[in-house]
């Protein structure tokens, strides 16, 4: 029987780096490409790069990237006869392949049945046990009575894990150390699961302490062929968000790889799976592995597998979706060297990893390694989507070579205008425990203080260097010997550098509490400079000509607020009574009205961005003079939302 389902034009139902990643291979294979984009993504790279692009609605995912009807309509309108879902959004929604089938469109992914079977934890686990895949001993029965569950927990033996069967990302999950706290943990897990997933069904498992997260990549065609492409170690996570992924795993040898691969392929055959898929396992300290869940999509971290196998996973997906047989057998799959990936996220580690939005004013990934992203200088980073904005992937002959290469690339990448976890990633890669390959799922929590230092001695030096570059570079050309004072602020610390130009390019910077700095600017263009001080030359990257100038040096980024021209308020309070939105977002509530008397620090407005609420407070005491927004309004970063006429401080 002919099982081919050829297509000519591929619609990519996604955004950002993965949309571009899929498009790259599709174009190389000769397929025409169609992008879909939301109103917030009208200027986005993925919409520019496709042959055709269709706007599918509003900024909120529920108005655009999650709208099956509009995506199918976009495919119809452009004549796209295949759809790749990427990851996230609709990638694991069984209704999507169903709608594609109904419209006569090839879905690049598994069947609705396979997606649904793996979407339920208890059902997936039962299928895996039947297929002979090792699972953590536990209970996944229909009887959900509290007494039954307690009895089962006793049988399993503490510590036990309670997991919502509909769950994911750690929600509805509880680690229970002792019998005495089981009842309360069960109650709170069920209540969290009910509100998050609409179901409070749970399963119980023996808890594996400090496990590694190791996953097996599989690929299967509709002719009964299936191969595995080895493992990825994704143990370095923060709150169930993966941060660093590598292949191979430092904890997996050829024998364990073969056993994990065979178990995964047995499962693939048992469920008749087609396409790319990933089996997630927990690995315990003695090398035991236990099935966790199956992801029925291409994963964020697929590039590390591509690096060590030399295969293009998207190309394999497209070939299999067209009905071709896999072009290689298991014995043709070989592994070469070691690859590590880091996820660059627009979030502020210093502020509890709060998501950031705005514009990536300056973006220059380090050359020589793979960088998957959809950024350019000035790229908007809207508040409505995932905070991951780029992936950096290094490959080397061995793990240490890959690690060193990646660390160097993280340090050499310029990403200014928006705070990111860039330097935190560098700290993780440089940590001795990671270097030894000893990081497990507890790595970030256990090493918090090493990875996120409280005070930063390099910051004051950065303020002085930045001041020199803002005031004494050849482009500003301060010819006179008058000292120019600046006021720079970062995370609540004020710096008062004074720059005195000596001769062309040379200057003296003084600052309260610091030794003076004699600095020469040898070369300077808009975004970079070659400087020299203390007899050492170095290259720095720079974001000038903004209210939030930034400097990157020695592998670290420092952004400041330039308050040099902001009016000072007597009494030392910062700000001028104008409350500005700290990021793009939507107004949840306005807490004050015109005429209200407010105190400094009083809550005036709540903004929602990236699914988090941000309280805005008055910087000064005074009377509310104007309120420019109402609940529900969309605001852009820095927009004045409330104006307060400061009360004159007592004379
Ligand atoms: C576990 C576990 C220990 N024992 N199950 C977290 C999310 C979900 N996918 C599975 N998770 C875990 N399940 C048993 N029986 C520990 C975790 C876990 C974890 C797993 C992988 C990567 C990071 C993790 C962080 C905390 C807990």
């Amino acid at each position: 029987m002919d099982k081919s389902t050829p297509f000519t034009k591929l619609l990519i139902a996604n955004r950002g780096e993965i949309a571009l990643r899929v498009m790259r291979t599709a174009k190389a294979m000769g397929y025409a490409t169609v992008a879909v984009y939301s109103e917030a993504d009208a200027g986005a790279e993925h919409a520019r790069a496709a042959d055709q692009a269709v706007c599918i609605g509003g900024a909120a995912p529920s108005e655009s990237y999650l709208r099956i009807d509009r995506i199918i309509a976009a495919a119809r309108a452009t004549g796209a006869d295949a759809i790749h879902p990427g990851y996230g959004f609709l990638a694991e929604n069984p209704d999507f392949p169903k709608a594609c089938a109904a419209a006569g469109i090839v879905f690049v992914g598994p069947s609705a049945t396979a997606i649904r079977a793996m979407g339920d934890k208890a059902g997936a686990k039962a299928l895996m046990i039947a297929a002979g895949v090792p699972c953590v001993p536990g209970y996944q029965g229909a009887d959900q009575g509290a007494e039954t569950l307690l009895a089962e927990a006793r049988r399993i033996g503490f510590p036990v894990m309670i997991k919502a069967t509909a769950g994911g990302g750690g929600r509805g999950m509880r680690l229970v150390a002792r019998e005495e706290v089981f009842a309360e943990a069960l109650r709170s897990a069920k209540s969290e699961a009910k509100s998050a997933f609409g179901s409070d069904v749970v399963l119980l498992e023996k808890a594996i302490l400090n496990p590694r997260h190791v996953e097996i990549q599989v690929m299967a065609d509709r002719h009964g062929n299936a191969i595995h492409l080895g493992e990825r170690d994704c143990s370095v996570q923060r709150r169930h968000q993966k941060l660093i992924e590598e292949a191979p795993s430092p904890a997996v040898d050829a024998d364990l790889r073969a056993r994990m691969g065979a178990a995964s392929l047995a499962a693939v055959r048992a469920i008749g799976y087609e396409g790319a898929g990933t089996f997630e396992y927990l690995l315990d300290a003695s090398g035991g592995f236990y099935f966790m869940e199956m992801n029925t999509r291409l994963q964020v971290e697929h590039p590390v597998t591509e690096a060590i196998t030399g295969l293009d996973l998207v190309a394999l997906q497209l070939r299999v979706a067209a009905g071709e047989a896999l072009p290689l057998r298991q014995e043709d799959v070989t592994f070469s060297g070691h690859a590590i990936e880091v996820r660059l996220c627009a979030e502020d580690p210093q502020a509890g990893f709060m998501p950031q939005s705005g514009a990536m004013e300056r973006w220059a990934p380090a050359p020589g390694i793979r960088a998957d992203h959809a950024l350019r200088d000035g790229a908007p980073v809207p508040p409505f989507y995932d905070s991951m904005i780029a992936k950096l992937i290094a490959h080397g002959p061995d793990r240490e070579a890959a690690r060193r290469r990646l660390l160097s690339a993280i340090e050499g990448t310029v990403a200014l205008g928006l705070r990111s976890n860039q330097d935190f990633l560098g700290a993780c890669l440089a940590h001795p425990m990671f270097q030894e390959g000893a990081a497990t799922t507890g790595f970030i929590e256990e090493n918090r203080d090493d990875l996120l230092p409280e005070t930063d001695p390099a910051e004051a030096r950065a303020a002085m260097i930045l001041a020199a570059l803002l005031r004494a570079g050849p482009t500003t050309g301060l010819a006179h010997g008058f000292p120019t004072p600046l006021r720079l602020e970062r995370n609540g610390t004020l710096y008062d550098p004074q720059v005195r130009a000596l001769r062309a390019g040379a200057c003296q910077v003084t600052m309260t509490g610091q030794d003076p700095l004699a600095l020469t600017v040898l070369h300077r263009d808009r975004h970079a400079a070659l400087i020299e001080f203390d007899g050492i030359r170095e290259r720095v990257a720079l974001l000038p000509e903004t209210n939030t100038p930034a400097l990157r040096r020695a592998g670290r980024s420092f952004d400041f607020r330039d308050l040099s021209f902001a009016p000072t308020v007597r009494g030392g309070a910062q700000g001028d009574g104008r409350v500005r939105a700290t990021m793009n977002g939507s107004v949840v509530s306005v807490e004050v009205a015109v005429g209200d008397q407010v105190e400094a620090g009083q809550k005036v407005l709540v903004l929602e961005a990236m699914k988090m609420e941000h309280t805005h407070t008055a910087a000064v005491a005074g009377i509310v003079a104007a309120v420019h927004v109402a609940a529900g309004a969309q605001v852009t970063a820095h927009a004045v939302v409330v104006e307060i006429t400061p009360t004159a401080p007592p004379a």
Side-chain angles (χ1 to χ4, degrees), residues 581-603:
T582 51
M583 56 189 73
N584 295 342
S586 61
V587 176
V588 175
S589 65
V590 181
E591 308 287 339
V592 294
V594 172
D596 284 1
Q597 170 95 46
V598 295
E599 298 303 319
Q602 186 176 330
K603 182 184 198 179

Side-chain angles (χ1 to χ4, degrees), residues 121 136-137 160-161 163 168-171 173 175 205-213 234-235 237 240 280-282 292-293 441-442:
K121 277 196 165 56
V136 189
V160 299
M161 213 70 163
K163 296 182 178 181
R171 282 200 295 177
M173 191 176 90
L175 170 62
E205 284 180 351
K206 179 87 188 165
I208 312 284
L209 299 177
N210 238 349
R212 276 177 181 269
H213 171 129
C234 313
S235 296
Q237 314 198 347
H240 304 295
E280 292 189 359
Y281 297 94
L282 291 182
M292 281 291 104
E293 53 191 81
T441 48

Side-chain angles (χ1 to χ4, degrees), residues 142-172:
D143 183 350
Q144 291 282 306
E147 301 86 69
T148 304
L149 290 170
L150 177 60
E152 289 294 336
R154 280 204 192 107
R155 179 184 62 77
I156 294 162
F158 289 89
V160 299
M161 213 70 163
I162 303 174
K163 296 182 178 181
T165 58
R171 282 200 295 177

